[in-house]
Structure formats: structure tokens, C-alpha cells
Amino acid sequence: RGDEPLAERGDRGPLAEASDPPGSPARAQQEAGTGPLAARSDAGPEDGSARLEADSAEPGREPGSGRGRRRRRGRRGGERVREAERELDELDLGPPLSEADRPEAALHEESEDEPAIAAAEDRPSADADESAQPDVEDSAEPVAALAGEEDEEDEAVEPEPPPERLRPRQRRARAAICVRNDPDALLAALVLARDRRHITFFWTCSQEQLMDFFRGRATDVGEDTDLLMVGFTAEPIPRETVQTAELFRGRLQWFDAHEWAIEDAEALRDAIGEDSVVVTEKASSPLVAVSEVTERRSRFTDKLVDFSARRLPEHEMEKWGYRLVGLIQKLMGGAGDYRSSISPVLAGKPSDLPAPTGVYQEEDRWLAEHDPRIVHFGEYQLAVVQVPENLDASEVGRRARLRTGSRLSLATRDGDAVVILGANDEKRNLNLMGVAERVDSSVDWAHARPAGDRGGRLLVDGLFENPERLDAVILEIVKHKSVLYG
């Protein structure tokens, strides 16, 4: 009721007279005792209490139904009303207010706007409704369906077991070795023989004599013995070689570092098994392939690897290194079984090998007549030698380092496109293979060839037609000297 003017509420209660200014008709009637307010004021306490009861009665409850305490409250309320009327009569309220100046008008305007603003604030936007309020009717069925599908999948599909790891090739207790009569292949076969221990025979022959071995000595290999081939290709007749090797499927294992025709390598894998062919075509020695399967390591086996890279100091070469060289030369003498000759190597006592005579005489003589070229860079010295094709380039490089006090050597051999980078045995080994790989990445015509002995080897294309490429290799080694200790 706050929006109604006070002048129109004269008959709404005892406070209505406060709005009648002096001199108004309502005020005159009140003073004369003839107006409605006078009638109410003449009414007794009972009438005032009844009126108050009627105004304060709850909806649906008849007035006058209250008794006792309610009646007494009515009397006290009437007395308070009369006191308020008398106080208002004594006040000078001034001229009446216009409709625009009344506070109820401003309150009425604000009350009309506030519900609209509140409704606008409480009402969520359409975007928020779409993003925040899920469509229950549309999403209930798909969610239930997905839940049902997940339950069905959980019941129907069991978790897959982890994939079974490929089992390594099973070894037999004994092994027989056939190796090509090549120094690198023979040294790799000795490392393999030390790993297998129980060797029934150690056969050496040339590539041309391979089929003779299969038709002869290989037929004596029992079912409880593995047959290990080291350093051979499928030549001269690949189809015949592969068909013969298939007769030993399950027992034969092949190690090599030569380049194979793709069809020959695939045919051999199909014939004797994928895990039975270990061919590392980009290596310079079968020692890389052998190192992939060896399981036993010993100090002497590591010394054999150092011997392959010619890192042994001179006192160890004199103690057993030259004896080992004499054994390898003997194994290259002709086809046959040399099981008894390699017994000291299998036992780890190479000093028991017979003392050789005339080992590296040609290499020593050539080095006495030719001074190596020395390249100084940083804290390193590089001895460069180019030897005839009948000499051991690795050994000449070792002796050149020993003679000149250089830490590094670079040796090549006539008729061979492989450049050998060697170093002395130091407390911290130099990263020769890392340097070779860096040279490989720097020029297109040089290719790193690992040998399984931590040495550095590079295959240089067109080295004979372009001898200046050797100087380019030296320049790349100097540029990447930081890799030596990398």
C-alpha cells in the first residue's frame, strides 16, 4: 500500500489525520466532532480493540474470535493510537506535497525497475544455457547405451596378454666352427670360440672350399652341436649354398660382414631362420656380428679386441701378441681342423703359444725405409702412412705411433679403399669411431665402417682416382678433434 497518496488514506486508520492540513474540510469536521475520525475517537475501548482485531485478523479467521490476552492487547493498542493522534495534532506538517515530490513516487519507480533487473540478472543466457545445461532427454539414452556397450565389452572381451618376447636362439652345449681364412674373420672366430668354450672342431678354409666343407666335414656334426659359420658369403653358387645350409636348420648360425645380394640374404634367412643369420654389411669385420651374440666376457677376450685395433703396448705384443699373430698366419696356411692349435687361446693362456719367427719383418723393413708424415693439431699428433698391399696397415700404423711418439695414426694400403684410424692404449680411450662418423656426415664420399673394436675405419670412394681425398679426410679429423674426447 506504500504507493497510494496519504491524502487518499484518510479513512484507512487513525494516522490518516496527519495528512489533513489546517483549514481543510476534513480538519474542520474533525474539530467540529462530525467527521469519521471524530466518530472513531469517541468510540470506546471495546470498539477500538474490535477494529484492531479486524485489521490484524488472519485471512479466513473471523474477527472477534480471539479471547483473553488478545482483547487486552486491543485496549492497550487503542490507547497508543489516541496518544499518537494527539501528538500529530500538535505538529505543523506544512503545505501538502505534490505527486512528483512524494517519496512514495520515487520508491514506486524503483520498485518497478528492480524486479525487471533482478529477473534479467537471474535469467541465464541462451549460450550459458546450451553449454552449462545438458539436454537430459537427448543425452540420457546415448549415455545409457554407451554404458551398456561398455558393460558388454567388459563381459565379452578379456584384456589381451602382454606380447610374448622373442626368445633368443637356443644354444647347444657344444659348437663346431668353420671360418674363412681371413685375418679379421679368424680373430672374430677366436673370440666366438672363447665364448662357446666347448668346441668340437675349428675348421678353416677359403670361400671356394665352402661347399667341400658342407659335403665333407660338416656331415660329422651331431644333432647336439651347433655349426657356426664365420666370414663366408653364399658364393660361388648362392642357390646351392642356401639349399645345403637348409639341411642344418636349427643348428647352423651364420656371421659375416660382406655385402650380400638382397635376394641371397633373404633366401638364407628363410632357409635357416631369421635369428640364425647375423650379417652386418656396413662393418669392416665379422667381429661386429660376433659381438652381438657373445655372452661371456673376460679380461683376455677384451685384450683380443684391443689386439684387433692394434692398441696393445709393445711389452704385451712381445709377451703374447706376436705369438697370436703367428697362430693366425698358421691358420691361414690351408684348409683343415686347428682345434688343438687354438687350445691356449681357449684356455686364456696365449703366452703358451709357440714363439713365431719372422713376424712383421716386411712391415718393419718398410717403416725403416719410409718416414711417416706427422700432422700436428692441438695436443695431438697424427702419423700418416700409405703401405703396399702385402703389408698389414694396422700394424704399420701402430709401429709408426711407437716410432714417432704420436697418439694417432692414419694408415691406408694400396688396393684397399679403407682408411684405418688408430690410437694408443690410454686411460681414457679416444673416440675414434665417433670421429669417423663425423667425417662420414661431413662428406659424401666417406663412409664409416665399424669393426667391433672401438677403432675408426672409413671407406673412401674413389681413393685411387682421387688421392687428394686422403688430405680431405685428415682436414675433417682436425676440424672435429673435439669429438675424440666426446
Side-chain angles (χ1 to χ4, degrees):
R1 296 179 183 180
D3 55 349
E4 296 180 3
L6 295 177
E8 299 175 4
R9 295 190 298 164
D11 58 346
R12 298 292 179 88
L15 296 180
E17 63 180 357
S19 63
D20 298 330
S24 63
R27 186 64 176 266
Q29 292 178 4
Q30 179 182 349
E31 292 176 356
T34 59
L37 187 59
R40 289 193 192 101
S41 62
D42 292 340
E46 296 293 331
D47 294 337
S49 63
R51 180 71 177 175
L52 186 61
E53 260 187 57
D55 290 343
S56 61
E58 297 179 1
R61 185 173 180 177
E62 295 181 359
S65 61
R67 293 182 181 181
R69 292 175 61 87
R70 186 176 294 278
R71 289 180 179 275
R72 287 193 296 271
R73 290 177 181 174
R75 293 190 195 100
R76 289 195 297 269
E79 293 175 358
R80 294 192 189 99
V81 170
R82 285 192 296 272
E83 291 177 0
E85 289 176 351
R86 284 192 297 269
E87 292 176 358
L88 290 173
D89 291 341
E90 297 174 359
L91 294 175
D92 186 8
L93 299 178
L97 299 175
S98 63
E99 288 292 333
D101 295 335
R102 292 178 183 273
E104 288 84 349
L107 293 174
H108 178 65
E109 293 176 359
E110 293 177 2
S111 64
E112 288 178 352
D113 295 337
E114 285 176 358
I117 296 173
E121 292 177 352
D122 295 339
R123 187 187 307 117
S125 63
D127 297 339
D129 242 350
E130 294 176 1
S131 61
Q133 299 292 336
D135 193 349
V136 177
E137 295 181 359
D138 295 341
S139 60
E141 293 182 0
V143 170
L146 289 174
E149 291 178 3
E150 291 178 359
D151 294 341
E152 293 178 0
E153 290 179 359
D154 292 342
E155 295 176 0
V157 180
E158 296 181 357
E160 297 182 359
E164 184 179 356
R165 296 182 59 184
L166 294 176
R167 296 181 180 179
R169 186 179 186 276
Q170 185 177 2
R171 287 186 169 190
R172 290 167 172 78
R174 299 191 298 174
I177 296 178
C178 179
V179 55
R180 185 174 179 172
N181 58 352
D182 174 80
D184 292 333
L186 287 168
L187 187 59
L190 290 175
V191 173
L192 184 60
R194 276 190 54 80
D195 181 68
R196 297 302 298 265
R197 301 286 180 175
H198 302 287
I199 305 299
T200 58
F201 64 78
F202 191 90
W203 192 274
T204 66
C205 64
S206 63
Q207 178 69 48
E208 293 76 13
Q209 297 171 321
L210 177 60
M211 290 307 301
D212 296 335
F213 166 76
F214 276 130
R215 298 188 187 98
R217 190 70 173 87
T219 58
D220 298 334
V221 179
E223 293 293 333
D224 60 343
T225 304
D226 286 331
L227 179 59
L228 310 178
M229 311 294 296
V230 182
F232 292 100
T233 65
E235 301 297 335
I237 306 176
R239 182 177 180 182
E240 182 182 3
T241 302
V242 171
Q243 290 177 350
T244 306
E246 190 174 6
L247 300 175
F248 300 90
R249 183 183 178 90
R251 294 181 291 154
L252 190 147
Q253 195 168 16
W254 205 293
F255 303 90
D256 191 31
H258 293 93
E259 293 186 4
W260 284 56
I262 297 177
E263 58 274 14
D264 294 343
E266 291 298 328
L268 184 63
R269 291 187 178 96
D270 294 340
I272 64 176
E274 182 77 23
D275 58 345
S276 297
V277 180
V278 188
V279 176
T280 53
E281 296 184 357
K282 292 186 178 181
S284 61
S285 170
L287 185 59
V288 178
V290 168
S291 300
E292 294 182 5
V293 301
T294 52
E295 298 177 357
R296 295 186 179 94
R297 297 297 300 271
S298 66
R299 185 176 181 182
F300 177 61
T301 301
D302 293 339
K303 289 294 183 181
L304 289 177
V305 175
D306 290 339
F307 174 82
S308 173
R310 298 299 191 273
R311 275 192 302 270
L312 293 179
E314 185 61 23
H315 70 275
E316 289 196 32
M317 288 294 296
E318 293 177 352
K319 183 178 180 180
W320 60 269
Y322 295 131
R323 295 172 184 260
L324 183 62
V325 174
L327 173 64
I328 292 175
Q329 290 178 350
K330 180 181 179 180
L331 299 179
M332 295 174 60
D337 183 10
Y338 293 89
R339 169 63 180 80
S340 59
S341 300
I342 67 171
S343 296
V345 176
L346 299 180
K349 298 179 180 181
S351 57
D352 292 346
L353 290 170
T357 57
V359 174
Y360 292 143
Q361 287 183 353
E362 294 296 328
E363 286 79 2
D364 196 15
R365 184 181 300 111
W366 183 91
L367 192 59
E369 297 174 357
H370 300 80
D371 293 331
R373 178 161 61 110
I374 307 300
V375 178
H376 297 269
F377 59 101
E379 58 182 310
Y380 305 101
Q381 306 82 35
L382 177 67
V384 182
V385 292
Q386 292 179 274
V387 303
E389 59 182 353
N390 61 322
L391 301 183
D392 188 337
S394 296
E395 178 62 21
V396 174
R398 186 190 73 85
R399 292 180 177 238
R401 296 195 306 270
L402 183 63
R403 177 178 174 180
T404 61
S406 302
R407 299 177 64 184
L408 301 169
S409 64
L410 189 69
T412 61
R413 184 172 57 183
D414 295 341
D416 194 350
V418 176
V419 178
I420 303 173
L421 181 62
N424 294 329
D425 184 20
E426 300 183 0
K427 292 183 179 179
R428 182 179 179 183
N429 292 325
L430 299 178
N431 186 16
L432 303 180
M433 193 60 210
V435 174
E437 292 174 351
R438 187 62 62 88
V439 176
D440 185 352
S441 62
S442 300
V443 295
D444 298 334
W445 39 262
H447 314 283
R449 291 291 182 262
D453 54 10
R454 303 193 307 275
R457 288 173 175 79
L458 285 165
L459 177 64
V460 179
D461 298 335
L463 182 59
F464 313 120
E465 297 81 6
N466 304 280
E468 67 278 1
R469 289 187 174 179
L470 183 62
D471 293 334
V473 170
I474 296 173
L475 179 60
E476 294 297 328
I477 293 173
V478 173
K479 288 170 56 178
H480 301 102
K481 63 178 183 292
S482 60
V483 182
L484 289 170
Y485 275 136

